[in-house]
Amino acid sequence: KAGVTQTPRYLIKTRGQQVTLSCSPISGHRSVSWYQQTPGQGLQFLFEYFSETQRNKGNFPGRFSGRQFSNSRSEMNVSTLELGDSALYLCASSWVGGPYMNTEAFFGQGTRLTVV
Amino acid sequence: TQLLEQSPQFLSIQEGENLTVYCNSSSVFSSLQWYRQEPGEGPVLLVTVVTGGEVKKLKRLTFQFGDARKDSSLHITAAQPGDTGLYLCAGSNSNSGYALNFGKGTSLLVTP
């Protein structure tokens, strides 16, 4: 089955602009999480959505927001871009269920955002 | 705050050598996963361990979850150039919900 699809793969934006990234999860996966990956900090959790509701949020400023649609597709938005927002943004989908809290994540290829 | 500490950060070895990567924390995790990431790609799930003391094998890779569920190790036997990549451990617990706490990773280079 198709994997997690993220679009676009690459983006170059100017400071102060805003950006929207898109993620289509694996069919049947209802949980979508977003992560920011930088060389200095590694992978850091942004937020997680399930059934169009944000269930968890990481320690990021309010400029970072997201949403999930009824078909489980998700978008994240970053407003008023700063140079430090340059990073690889990764989306992951998970199947919810099973005997324990299933956090096995299947990642997309990511969107490489460069802020200049 | 990085809940999971991985060591070593970098590892460069020759084909055929064995190696072990460690993932340590002061927190207890309900499950811990290992991922491998190649340049320009997203992480790919290798294994999930959930029981303290659990050992899982995936071909030449052996994963172990500590008895107290605070640490884990990944051992690779007879490394091959195809094993090159960034190895990441990630844990979750009742405090994090469905959020994964990642270590910063171990960058492995295996040369022929």
Side-chain angles (χ1 to χ4, degrees):
Chain A
K1 54 183 174 184
V4 177
T5 303
Q6 289 189 246
T7 56
R9 287 292 309 275
Y10 303 94
L11 265 179
I12 300 176
K13 289 286 188 179
T14 305
R15 269 183 305 174
Q17 287 187 311
Q18 75 164 21
V19 67
T20 299
L21 312 181
S22 179
C23 173
S24 293
I26 292 172
S27 177
H29 285 193
R30 295 163 62 193
S31 170
V32 174
S33 300
W34 289 89
Y35 292 83
Q36 180 195 66
Q37 187 175 28
T38 59
Q41 297 299 319
L43 271 114
Q44 294 195 298
F45 172 74
L46 281 157
F47 26 67
E48 186 257 349
Y49 286 87
F50 177 77
S51 290
E52 303 177 65
T53 300
Q54 186 184 89
R55 294 196 298 188
N56 289 93
K57 189 177 192 309
N59 190 26
F60 278 82
R63 300 184 297 106
F64 292 82
S65 63
R67 59 177 176 169
Q68 186 181 34
F69 302 95
S70 58
N71 61 358
S72 295
R73 193 177 69 83
S74 178
E75 290 181 345
M76 70 162 280
N77 185 276
V78 187
S79 62
T80 320
L81 283 165
E82 301 177 359
L83 295 179
D85 296 333
S86 294
L88 181 66
Y89 289 88
L90 291 159
C91 166
S93 74
S94 301
W95 177 75
V96 177
Y100 60 91
M101 183 179 281
N102 182 13
T103 53
E104 293 183 340
F106 295 85
F107 284 85
Q109 290 181 297
T111 295
R112 172 73 63 185
L113 172 65
T114 303
V115 182
V116 298
Chain B
T1 305
Q2 217 76 30
L3 291 181
L4 287 163
E5 299 290 335
Q6 284 189 242
S7 62
Q9 270 189 287
F10 302 96
L11 200 49
S12 180
I13 61 172
Q14 300 268 50
E15 183 176 3
E17 291 184 28
N18 301 331
L19 67 118
T20 302
V21 175
Y22 299 93
C23 176
N24 296 298
S25 175
S26 57
S27 301
V28 175
F29 291 100
S30 54
S31 70
L32 193 140
Q33 293 144 30
W34 286 90
Y35 294 82
R36 185 172 76 198
Q37 185 178 23
E38 298 187 21
E41 302 292 328
V44 175
L45 178 66
L46 295 174
V47 77
T48 298
V49 286
V50 298
T51 305
E54 183 176 4
V55 176
K56 281 191 174 179
K57 293 192 175 185
L58 184 66
K59 297 182 181 178
R60 294 175 293 101
L61 278 59
T62 302
F63 304 86
Q64 186 162 10
F65 201 13
D67 290 340
R69 291 186 289 137
K70 291 182 178 182
D71 55 85
S72 181
S73 63
L74 157 61
H75 181 81
I76 301 179
T77 304
Q80 298 177 0
D83 295 327
T84 293
L86 179 67
Y87 288 82
L88 297 154
C89 64
S92 63
N93 54 32
S94 57
N95 291 331
S96 66
Y98 281 84
L100 286 171
N101 296 290
F102 277 88
K104 288 192 176 182
T106 294
S107 182
L108 172 65
L109 174 64
V110 183
T111 53

